[in-house]
């Protein structure tokens, strides 16, 4: 694509290239008047923690566990996805993974609403990293980083305890969405294969995780001012 999306505390900007070669931004459209949140306040007052893309539409994770699906820069749908803040999103090849502060990861695929044809998200599998620990228990299970593989069958998961997990998902590559639940409340931990690879950093919480697209390596960064390649 040719645009950027920036998020933060009371910040959500959609950037694009102008004719003069510079970047310009527009603010999102939340409707008029803005939609009211169940917890009080307007949509525009959310803390926006994370961003991904699916079907060329931006998906933004919020502090109250919602995924905001945008068409261009206009809010198209709000999906209650998690029970706590969505700290990280990773998208790849028509799938999207979201991770939250209580240790739950969910994988989503696009689905079209009958009648309107609008794009929505369908949860195809989910798991709780606490239930995968198997003697390697997370001290802090908040999901800080996700990196979804291009075939959407594997991912790397980073936690606030600096563990890095390689997770194999029970999803067939190339197939359309088979919803476990479109509310995302059910988990399939028994079908997930997970291996703790390493405890990546010791000085502070890891804040970045990225896989090399052409080699069997990945990199992590953390608050200990270290960048490590694995």
């Amino acid at each position: 694509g040719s645009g950027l999306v920036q998020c933060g505390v009371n910040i959500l900007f959609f950037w694009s290239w102008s004719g003069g070669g510079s970047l310009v931004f527009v603010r999102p459209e939340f409707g008029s008047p803005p939609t009211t949140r169940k917890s009080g306040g307007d949509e525009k007052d959310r803390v926006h923690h994370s961003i991904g893309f699916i079907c060329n539409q931006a998906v933004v994770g919020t502090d109250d566990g919602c995924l905001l699906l945008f068409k261009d820069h206009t809010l198209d749908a709000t999906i209650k996805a998690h029970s706590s803040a969505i700290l990280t999103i990773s998208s790849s090849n028509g799938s999207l993974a979201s991770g939250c502060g209580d240790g739950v990861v969910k994988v989503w695929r696009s689905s079209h609403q009958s009648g309107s044809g609008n794009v929505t998200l369908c949860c195809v599998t989910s798991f709780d990293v606490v239930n995968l620990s198997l003697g390697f228990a997370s001290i802090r299970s908040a999901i800080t980083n996700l990196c979804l593989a291009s075939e959407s069958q594997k991912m790397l998961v980073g936690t606030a305890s600096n563990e890095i997990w390689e997770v194999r998902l029970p999803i067939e590559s190339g197939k359309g969405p088979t919803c476990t639940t479109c509310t995302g409340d059910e988990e399939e931990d028994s079908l997930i294969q997970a291996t703790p690879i390493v405890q990546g950093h010791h000085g502070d919480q890891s804040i970045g995780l990225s896989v090399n697209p052409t080699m069997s390596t990945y990199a992590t960064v953390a608050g200990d001012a270290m960048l490590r390649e694995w």
Side-chain angles (χ1 to χ4, degrees):
S2 58
L4 300 170
V5 183
Q6 175 188 10
C7 71
V9 179
N10 297 330
I11 293 175
L12 187 57
F13 296 152
F14 290 77
W15 296 83
S16 60
W17 291 103
S18 69
S22 60
L23 281 169
V24 295
F25 73 87
V26 295
R27 299 179 185 275
E29 297 287 343
F30 291 107
S32 183
T35 306
T36 301
R37 303 170 61 183
K38 290 182 179 179
S39 57
D42 294 337
E43 292 273 12
K44 63 183 180 180
D45 297 325
R46 277 189 164 107
V47 177
H48 306 100
H49 286 282
S50 49
I51 302 170
F53 287 86
I54 196 164
C55 295
N56 293 320
Q57 294 185 215
V59 181
V60 178
T62 69
D63 59 333
D64 58 350
C66 287
L67 291 172
L68 308 182
L69 183 61
F70 286 87
K71 182 179 291 185
D72 295 325
H73 64 280
T74 302
L75 181 64
D76 194 44
T78 300
I79 299 167
K80 181 60 178 176
H82 291 270
S83 60
S84 62
I86 300 175
L87 302 178
T88 179
I89 290 176
S90 177
S91 49
S92 177
N93 196 28
S95 296
L96 182 142
S98 58
C100 70
D102 59 10
V104 174
V105 176
K106 295 183 179 180
V107 180
W108 309 79
R109 284 186 176 167
S110 60
S111 179
H112 289 83
Q113 295 175 339
S114 58
S116 67
N118 291 337
V119 173
T120 187
L121 297 178
C122 179
C123 181
V124 293
T125 193
S126 61
F127 61 91
D128 189 333
V129 71
V130 173
N131 296 340
L132 302 179
S133 295
L134 302 176
F136 192 81
S138 294
I139 301 171
R140 294 178 293 166
S141 60
I143 307 300
T144 56
N145 303 284
L146 293 173
C147 195
L148 187 61
S150 59
E151 71 275 14
S152 305
Q153 292 177 296
K154 293 193 299 183
M155 72 167 72
L156 292 179
V157 178
T159 72
S161 295
N162 296 316
E163 301 140 358
I164 301 170
W165 296 77
E166 181 179 276
V167 179
R168 293 181 179 271
L169 303 168
I171 300 174
E172 294 187 46
S173 179
K175 291 199 171 184
T178 302
C179 293
T180 56
T181 167
C182 283
T183 59
D185 293 330
E186 297 176 7
E187 280 138 23
E188 298 185 344
D189 295 333
S190 61
L191 301 178
I192 303 291
Q193 300 177 37
T195 304
I197 298 176
V198 70
Q199 185 171 25
H201 294 258
H202 299 281
D204 206 341
Q205 178 173 309
S206 63
I207 55 177
L209 169 66
S210 182
V211 173
N212 189 315
T214 60
M215 300 175 64
S216 298
T217 61
Y218 64 95
T220 58
V221 292
D224 58 4
M226 296 292 294
L227 183 152
R228 294 181 178 178
E229 186 175 3
W230 306 86

